[in-house]
Amino acid sequence: DAQQQKVRVLNCSGRIPQGVDADVFRSPDPDHLANRKSAKAVSTPTNLNAWHRLSEEYGTQPWAALFSSAIAAAEEGFVISASTARIIAKYFDEFPTYPRGFYGRNGEPLPAGERLIQRDLARSLGLVAAEGPEALYGGTLGQQIDAAMREAGGFLAMADLLANEAEWWEPISVSYRGYQVVTASPPANSFSSLIRLGMMNRFDNRALGHNTTPYLHRFAEVTKHAFWCRLKYAGDPDVQPPPLSRLLSDAYVDEQVAALDLEQATRFPPPGPSAAAGAQTTHFVVADKMGNIVCATQTLGTGFGSKVMVPGTGIWLNNSLNFCTFEPPGNPMDAHPGRRKLISNHPTFVFRDGKPWLAIGTPGGHTIGQTVPQMIMNIADFDMDVQQAIAAPRV
């Protein structure tokens, strides 16, 4: 926020549906793995409420005007790239009949160079433009989602949509090489990237050399500890807040760095196993002439989310609950009904001399927390530009 000279965190991960039974996502349920990618894994969608809060507080254009380009792209279609064609082909056989009709032709997925036309999605976006968030949270689209969930055996219900809100939070930060690194606070799990940077700040990375064995070994060992902290301490800040004042303190960092084995790789005894990474996340950064900057990560979960497209709407639903940690039952990252959904997003600002210098983030599910620190170190320690920092090989 350029006017207030402060960073704000807008959490749009929402809450886990009240009716969730987390036992369907773990053994001995015979379908527990399939359930993590199905209608049962749909969490409450919050992006639309987040867009509206941003528009209300920072927007300069009328709400209805914001959707014209997206409506046109859906109505008229756009030529799909080779990468988009590959991901459509990968999941096409899992699509229901409805989206197969326009994501494919003659029963085959659209190849690169073909035009993807989504007229139902255009109509849905038109409803949102005309009616605002109410179109989804209680309105026509919400009713269609509620009906689709009941038919598919999902847990998301109209009551969850009506109770949904996007929330402002204060950010968290650490110092790294004299820069201030600022990122999202819980219920985001971004604190794990700050743990990595805090520990790596104790080493002379430039002297070690970029991606040398000693450098990568240190980062791998630091990353194991950061993963352990995320699995151990992540939680809804109203119920079980992570002990950030301790985890990000100099004393804790010094203690953990002193415990590292700098010669041998150590075993990783996790508090509980973690879910797989996702492939349906987008990160983008936008800045305006006033100096406001938005650093945003949005996700559908894994490829095409739950593979549930609400009939008549063109809207895919997420499978965000797939990213919970289901063992042991009741752990902080389990699918707790009604609690805030914990997310692995790490939208990050780096400040130099009190001014925003870098805004960065990435897709990648649970790997995000190790990718963002490597990109920041590439810039701060090894003088790379942004493109080089993103493109450089990483673990």
Side-chain angles (χ1 to χ4, degrees):
D1 184 322
Q3 185 174 4
Q4 297 187 54
Q5 291 291 298
K6 65 179 294 187
V7 177
R8 307 176 74 195
V9 179
L10 183 59
N11 174 43
C12 44
S13 63
R15 291 182 181 269
I16 296 170
Q18 288 282 358
V20 161
D21 176 6
D23 287 339
V24 305
F25 301 119
R26 50 182 161 252
S27 184
D29 190 299
D31 299 318
H32 68 281
L33 294 178
N35 288 339
R36 298 179 187 182
K37 299 181 180 180
S38 73
K40 295 187 186 306
V42 177
S43 193
T44 313
T46 311
N47 279 347
L48 181 51
N49 268 336
W51 301 346
H52 194 251
R53 290 205 71 168
L54 280 175
S55 178
E56 282 187 317
E57 297 195 35
Y58 295 99
T60 59
Q61 303 295 315
W63 171 261
L66 301 177
F67 295 86
S68 57
S69 295
I71 291 171
E75 180 71 40
E76 300 165 11
F78 61 92
V79 176
I80 61 173
S81 66
S83 60
T84 299
R86 280 195 298 272
I87 197 169
I88 292 173
K90 179 178 179 180
Y91 294 105
F92 190 75
D93 290 343
E94 301 176 46
F95 288 1
T97 302
Y98 165 47
R100 285 168 67 98
F102 50 92
Y103 273 86
R105 185 178 294 112
N106 300 322
E108 297 294 325
L110 291 178
E114 290 287 336
R115 187 170 291 271
L116 173 60
I117 298 173
Q118 304 168 90
R119 293 195 175 96
D120 288 345
L121 181 59
R123 283 190 287 271
S124 296
L125 291 170
L127 271 177
V128 169
E131 300 177 12
E134 290 76 15
L136 177 62
Y137 305 109
T140 302
L141 294 177
Q143 293 165 12
Q144 291 173 288
I145 289 173
D146 181 74
M149 286 288 91
R150 281 187 273 111
E151 182 176 343
F155 298 117
L156 178 67
M158 180 61 78
D160 301 302
L161 295 173
L162 290 172
N164 181 261
E165 61 179 336
E167 302 173 305
W168 287 110
W169 295 84
E170 292 298 315
I172 55 177
S173 68
V174 296
S175 178
Y176 185 80
R177 308 289 190 233
Y179 302 103
Q180 198 67 19
V181 181
V182 185
T183 192
S185 53
N189 291 329
S190 311
F191 67 88
S192 70
S193 68
L194 298 188
I195 291 173
R196 289 173 173 87
L197 287 172
M199 295 177 70
M200 291 301 293
N201 199 31
R202 298 301 194 266
F203 301 113
D204 187 345
N205 295 333
R206 189 186 294 266
L208 291 170
H210 182 255
N211 280 358
T212 62
T213 298
Y215 171 76
L216 291 177
H217 172 72
R218 282 161 174 77
F219 184 72
E221 294 302 302
V222 163
T223 283
K224 291 173 190 176
H225 180 68
F227 266 126
W228 189 90
C229 288
R230 179 182 65 78
L231 291 166
K232 176 71 174 176
Y233 296 117
D236 184 331
D238 281 352
V239 180
Q240 192 170 358
L244 297 184
S245 59
R246 174 168 158 263
L247 296 178
L248 303 182
S249 69
D250 287 339
Y252 183 80
V253 169
D254 290 339
E255 173 188 309
Q256 297 306 316
V257 168
L260 294 178
D261 187 331
L262 300 184
E263 302 300 326
Q264 296 291 326
T266 56
R267 293 182 61 83
F268 177 67
S274 177
Q280 206 70 9
T281 303
T282 299
H283 183 86
F284 61 89
V285 176
V286 181
D288 68 17
K289 63 183 179 183
M290 282 80 75
N292 299 300
I293 308 170
V294 175
C295 188
T297 313
Q298 297 185 151
T299 186
L300 196 59
T302 54
F304 296 96
S306 61
K307 316 299 188 298
V308 174
M309 179 177 277
V310 182
T313 69
I315 297 173
W316 290 107
L317 295 178
N318 68 76
N319 68 326
S320 291
L321 298 186
N322 177 61
F323 292 85
C324 295
T325 299
F326 301 108
E327 301 291 349
N331 78 83
M333 290 190 65
D334 203 352
H336 297 279
R339 289 194 191 177
R340 291 181 179 87
K341 172 69 180 66
L342 307 183
I343 52 173
S344 293
N345 302 346
H346 295 239
T348 300
F349 290 113
V350 180
F351 285 76
R352 182 170 67 179
D353 300 327
K355 296 180 179 180
W357 179 63
L358 174 71
I360 204 164
T362 184
H366 290 312
T367 68
I368 291 174
Q370 68 196 47
T371 298
V372 170
Q374 287 179 87
M375 294 191 293
I376 291 173
M377 290 188 295
N378 287 344
I379 294 170
D381 290 320
F382 301 108
D383 300 324
M384 296 185 191
D385 63 30
V386 172
Q387 184 57 48
Q388 291 170 327
I390 293 171
R394 56 183 178 263
V395 292

